[in-house]
Amino acid sequence: MNICFLFGKINSEIKFDFLLNQDLHISIASCFILSEDGNEIKLIAFDKMADILYSDYELGTHIILEGSIINNCIEVMRIYEY
């Protein structure tokens, strides 16, 4: 089972882009989060979660998230309010 929970502050601008010629996903958002112990972790979100991450959150926002590890990144599955 590949589930992780993170708490931290968004440490970079959230980049949003559309994926062309993809069957599985339409859009992607990515940013870095700074954890409480000082580690910087890359987040990626697809489709609806990408829209939520890009439109509802900004640099410096504290978030709690649920995700899974994919290729040295965390794919965001759910964001909880802090």
Side-chain angles (χ1 to χ4, degrees):
M1 189 170 227
N2 182 5
I3 296 176
C4 61
F5 294 89
L6 293 172
F7 169 74
K9 180 175 70 170
I10 296 176
N11 198 33
S12 68
E13 292 295 325
I14 300 169
K15 296 178 185 173
F16 184 86
D17 204 0
F18 289 100
L19 300 171
L20 302 176
N21 301 324
Q22 292 286 326
D23 295 330
L24 189 58
H25 300 293
I26 297 170
S27 59
I28 185 171
S30 63
C31 65
F32 286 92
I33 186 173
L34 186 65
S35 68
E36 287 293 309
D37 59 356
N39 292 322
E40 194 171 56
I41 303 160
K42 184 175 182 177
L43 303 179
I44 57 172
F46 295 103
D47 302 327
K48 184 177 179 182
M49 284 308 304
D51 293 339
I52 292 169
L53 182 63
Y54 184 73
S55 63
D56 294 349
Y57 300 96
E58 59 187 23
L59 180 67
T61 304
H62 286 86
I63 59 172
I64 300 171
L65 63 92
E66 176 184 343
S68 61
I69 301 171
I70 296 178
N71 296 331
N72 297 325
C73 300
I74 303 295
E75 180 181 351
V76 179
M77 302 299 192
R78 180 178 287 160
I79 300 174
Y80 300 96
E81 292 295 323
Y82 173 72

